[in-house]
């Protein structure tokens, strides 16, 4: 894809990583954040990531921090927003952005779960708006879900899919704006049953995680569930579902077990205990393990 002018709004965890990916792909990137500290540190944070990954550190020179929203987006072909997960904030921001961009500039939100329709419904030109759901860290996890609303044009979707594919990401087209898009619906269907297994005394939390990591988790990166179903046979899958599905948790609300953990202040890493107890050393070791795994996978992709 020809060099594009990208504006990233929000220079936090996701925003700086998204800016990094686009800059490394050769695009000119402006980045805006309401907090001065976020802007002042963003190039250093990107340079540190690039160095750590062995990527071209000159890419950081294509990122320009801009202190005024109007200046950050004025020339942009494509704007992606990664500010706090707050619907009124995002709605207000896109209303402001729309006053400063060209009529054909594509506008994307990196919301985790807020419907794109709700964020974009107040825009004058809703047809150029969509969602792009990146995963953390943006420069290590390949997937970007590209979510269209009932108003989004096929051209806006096609441009966004190509922009991300050409930047080395794996874009997935989400054709309807449903809560959780694709990835988080699948992930949280699994988490619901994981919690239910513990809640019902079938095993402890450590065992749930061990079973996944030692069994189908090993295959998941190369064998999706529907490939797997075809591999074993849809007839066998049907037979398994007839036996297992009636027993799998299907409650349409969070588990009372999870509600109680939160009520008791067992918030996970941040309080030292959630489903399990975590020392600071164990937390650090797990974070380092995940990061190393993602780096190894990325090296394997190259
Ligand atoms: N963290 C993740 O794993 C993850 C994954 C996918 C999507 N997301 C989504 O991405 C978005 C950003 O998440 P994050 O983890 O980067 O958050 P973050 O807190 O690290 O960064 C948010 C940034 O937005 C800035 N900000 C706040 N109000 C602003 C405004 N009015 N204008 C400009 N900047 C403003 C803050 O100063 C901060 O730098 C959220 O919508 C989140 O749900 C996060």
């Amino acid at each position: 894809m020809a060099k594009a002018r990208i504006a990233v709004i929000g220079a936090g965890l996701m925003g700086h990583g998204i800016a990094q990916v686009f800059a490394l792909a050769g695009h000119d990137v402006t980045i805006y954040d309401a907090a001065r500290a976020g802007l002042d540190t963003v190039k250093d944070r990107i340079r540190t990531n690039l160095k750590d990954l062995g990527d071209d550190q000159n890419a950081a020179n294509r990122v320009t921090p801009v202190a005024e929203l109007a200046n950050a987006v004025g020339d942009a072909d494509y704007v992606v927003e990664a500010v706090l997960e707050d619907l009124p904030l995002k709605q207000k921001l896109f209303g402001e952005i729309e006053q400063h961009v060209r009529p054909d500039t594509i506008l994307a939100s990196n919301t985790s779960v807020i419907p794109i329709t709700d964020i974009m419904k107040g825009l004058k030109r809703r047809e150029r708006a969509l969602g792009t759901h990146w995963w953390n860290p943006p420069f290590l996890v390949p997937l970007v879900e590209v979510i269209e609303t009932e108003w989004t044009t096929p051209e806006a979707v096609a441009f966004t899919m190509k922009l991300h594919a050409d930047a080395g990401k794996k874009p997935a087209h989400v054709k309807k704006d449903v809560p959780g898009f694709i990835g988080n619906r699948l992930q949280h269907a699994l988490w619901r049953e994981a919690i239910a297994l513990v809640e019902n005394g079938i095993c402890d939390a450590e065992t749930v995680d061990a079973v996944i990591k030692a069994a189908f988790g090993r295959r998941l990166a190369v064998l999706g569930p529907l490939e797997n179903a075809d591999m074993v046979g849809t007839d066998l899958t049907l037979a398994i579902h007839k036996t297992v599905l009636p027993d799998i948790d299907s409650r349409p609300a969070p588990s009372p077990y999870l509600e109680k953990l939160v009520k008791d202040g067992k918030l996970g890493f941040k309080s030292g205990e959630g489903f399990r107890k975590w020392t600071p050393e164990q937390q650090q070791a797990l974070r380092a393990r995940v990061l190393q795994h993602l780096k190894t996978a990325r090296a394997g992709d190259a």
Side-chain angles (χ1 to χ4, degrees), residues 159-175:
F159 176 92
T160 306
M161 295 287 287
K162 183 161 169 44
L163 177 72
H164 290 79
D166 288 354
K169 308 311 292 178
K170 291 205 184 309
H173 182 188
V174 185
K175 295 177 186 168

Side-chain angles (χ1 to χ4, degrees), residues 7-291:
V8 178
I9 310 304
L13 187 67
M14 298 303 290
H16 92 284
I18 293 170
Q20 177 182 327
V21 170
F22 284 132
L24 191 62
H27 301 297
D28 289 328
V29 182
T30 53
I31 186 160
Y32 166 79
D33 197 292
R36 186 79 225 185
L39 278 189
D40 290 345
T41 59
V42 69
K43 286 184 84 154
D44 282 346
R45 282 181 282 144
I46 291 175
R47 214 170 263 118
T48 303
N49 295 338
L50 291 166
K51 187 172 175 201
D52 182 48
L53 294 166
D55 290 336
D56 179 12
Q57 290 179 60
N58 291 320
N61 300 333
R62 285 193 283 277
V63 178
T64 308
V66 178
E68 297 294 331
L69 179 66
N71 295 339
V73 302
D75 287 333
D77 302 308
Y78 180 89
V79 179
V80 53
E81 164 275 317
V83 305
L84 304 178
E85 188 75 341
D86 178 309
L87 177 59
L89 172 68
K90 288 182 192 286
Q91 287 171 328
K92 183 166 170 281
L93 199 54
F94 277 107
E96 286 171 29
I97 290 168
E98 201 177 35
Q99 293 172 23
H100 305 295
V101 293
R102 294 192 317 260
D104 62 338
T105 299
I106 292 175
L107 307 181
S109 173
N110 181 50
T111 176
S112 300
V113 291
I114 302 173
I116 308 302
T117 304
D118 290 350
I119 297 173
M120 306 298 188
K121 64 184 174 195
L123 293 183
K124 291 191 188 77
R125 292 178 177 267
R126 300 182 291 201
E127 65 277 9
R128 41 75 171 271
L130 40 70
T132 53
H133 181 226
W134 294 64
W135 293 62
N136 184 45
F139 41 86
L140 285 177
V141 181
L143 179 69
V144 178
E145 291 167 280
V146 176
I147 306 116
E148 71 174 88
T149 71
E150 61 181 290
W151 308 296
T152 318
T153 61
E155 292 75 23
V157 172
F159 176 92
T160 306
M161 295 287 287
K162 183 161 169 44
L163 177 72
H164 290 79
D166 288 354
K169 308 311 292 178
K170 291 205 184 309
H173 182 188
V174 185
K175 295 177 186 168
K176 287 184 183 168
D177 183 22
V178 289
F181 315 131
I182 300 172
N184 270 326
R185 286 173 87 91
L186 291 166
Q187 182 165 237
H188 288 279
L190 178 62
W191 290 22
R192 175 168 65 183
E193 181 58 23
I195 295 169
L197 286 165
V198 175
E199 186 178 355
N200 293 324
I202 291 143
C203 61
D204 60 18
E206 206 164 343
T207 304
V208 168
D209 291 338
V211 165
I212 293 169
K213 288 188 280 184
F216 64 88
R218 282 267 164 132
R219 300 190 301 227
L220 268 179
V222 292
L223 181 69
L226 301 184
E227 288 171 329
N228 200 343
D230 277 350
M231 190 181 277
V232 299
T234 52
D235 49 345
L236 177 58
T237 303
L238 177 63
I240 292 169
H241 279 202
K242 280 182 178 165
T243 306
V244 172
L245 289 194
D247 208 55
I248 284 181
D249 190 11
S250 61
R251 288 172 292 183
S255 149
Y257 188 97
L258 177 62
E259 302 259 20
K260 184 163 177 354
L261 285 183
V262 174
K263 189 160 165 280
D264 293 348
K266 293 181 179 172
L267 303 179
F269 279 18
K270 60 186 127 179
S271 69
E273 184 176 353
F275 288 97
R276 294 158 63 178
K277 290 195 169 128
W278 297 95
T279 65
E281 294 74 28
Q282 287 171 325
Q283 295 180 23
Q284 200 186 358
L286 186 54
R287 285 205 165 100
R289 209 159 163 221
V290 173
L291 198 59

